[in-house]
Amino acid sequence: PAYWLASAHEAARLNPAFALADEVRAPMERGLIDFVEGRIQRDFWSPRKDLEMRKLAAIEALARYGKAQARMLDSITIAPQQWPTHAVIDWMSVLQRLQGVPQRSERLAQAQQILRSRLNYQGSQLVFTTEQDDDWWWLMQGGDLNSARLLLAVIDNPAWQGDIARLANGFMARQQNGAWRTTTANLWGGLALARFSAAFEAAPVAGTTQAALGADTAKVDWAQVKRAKVLKKSIKKSAP
């Protein structure tokens, strides 16, 4: 439920049509609240202890809808320097949305500093210095998804505006054969790039580009360029 609530909330910021209906959202919220507060227990095998990370993800999802409370964090040992990157991103998101957390400003600054310290660029590609330890595959977490979620988490933050373009380029450079490694990364990646485009590419392209090769020249007026349209072909089913 935390995954569905968070991704639906992010999608609805782009288009309200993606918002979950109340009758769908409310049971998931109640279930996550019961899980965080210990009334529901989900114990299953995992390579590492992950209960606190799962609770933090649940609180992050609830905070998006105004359903989280600061006291919910009491069951979690707050140690972001020891957490995988996806949990630090969750923690930063919680602090951005949830009032009443003790030392909120200081902890938010610490979370952002931890994330900055883990950023590394190999050529144009964004990687994390903790990339190997961040591969929590059983929770669908990893470097590609962390890159997308970090971009979404800081895209409106004035302190990160000088980094946004490089984060976006570095995230796109992680693709292999035109896609990221997991379904979750592709979902959040699409959301992240759509938000980036809406925030920084809303103005229409203008100006001209001119190229020359020997005596041959070519010129493009970008204001006259039309977006390509996808042709839809009807598919007729053959008779059985």
Side-chain angles (χ1 to χ4, degrees):
Y3 170 78
W4 287 112
L5 285 174
S7 56
H9 177 268
E10 204 63 59
R13 297 180 69 181
L14 292 167
N15 187 334
F18 290 113
L20 295 173
D22 291 346
E23 61 270 22
V24 175
R25 188 189 69 251
M28 289 193 280
E29 291 172 345
R30 290 194 297 269
L32 289 181
I33 291 171
D34 287 345
F35 168 65
V36 170
E37 296 183 346
R39 290 185 291 275
I40 293 177
Q41 296 186 7
R42 293 289 304 276
D43 296 322
F44 51 85
W45 177 89
S46 62
R48 307 181 194 182
K49 293 183 179 179
D50 61 5
L51 178 60
E52 291 191 342
M53 302 302 96
R54 289 188 284 127
K55 283 188 175 183
L56 187 59
I59 295 170
E60 193 273 344
L62 291 167
R64 290 173 175 268
Y65 296 90
K67 301 296 183 179
Q69 299 181 36
R71 62 177 175 78
M72 292 178 172
L73 296 166
D74 293 344
S75 63
I76 297 174
T77 302
I78 306 301
Q81 291 164 321
Q82 302 172 24
W83 289 346
T85 299
H86 75 264
V88 183
I89 296 171
D90 282 337
W91 176 231
M92 180 175 68
S93 178
V94 168
L95 293 171
Q96 288 173 332
R97 293 181 166 91
L98 183 59
Q99 303 294 325
V101 178
Q103 299 177 304
R104 177 174 173 266
S105 296
E106 294 83 352
R107 285 173 160 174
L108 181 56
Q110 180 196 37
Q112 293 185 65
Q113 181 55 42
I114 291 171
L115 290 168
R116 285 187 181 277
S117 71
R118 295 184 183 185
L119 296 179
N120 185 25
Y121 291 90
Q122 297 180 0
S124 61
Q125 186 182 80
L126 169 64
V127 297
F128 294 90
T129 58
T130 53
E131 191 100 3
Q132 186 172 0
D133 291 333
D134 286 340
D135 186 19
W136 287 44
W137 51 266
W138 64 100
L139 295 182
M140 302 186 295
Q141 302 289 349
D144 288 350
L145 181 55
N146 289 339
S147 301
R149 293 188 61 229
L150 176 60
L151 179 58
L152 283 164
V154 302
I155 200 166
D156 296 323
N157 189 329
W160 286 77
Q161 291 309 293
D163 304 278
I164 297 300
R166 196 177 186 193
L167 284 174
N169 288 331
F171 171 55
M172 287 188 288
R174 294 182 63 101
Q175 288 187 332
Q176 298 179 6
N177 299 319
W180 294 283
R181 291 177 56 196
T182 64
T183 302
T184 50
N186 281 285
L187 170 61
W188 283 83
L191 295 173
L193 295 184
R195 281 283 309 282
F196 177 84
S197 179
F200 298 99
E201 300 176 342
V205 178
T208 60
T209 299
Q210 185 168 335
L213 180 61
D216 297 325
T217 62
K219 185 177 181 179
V220 175
D221 181 352
W222 290 103
Q224 302 301 318
V225 173
K226 304 294 184 182
R227 184 181 294 272
K229 294 182 178 180
V230 178
L231 297 177
K232 296 182 179 180
K233 296 182 178 179
S234 60
I235 301 176
K236 295 182 179 179
K237 293 184 179 180
S238 58

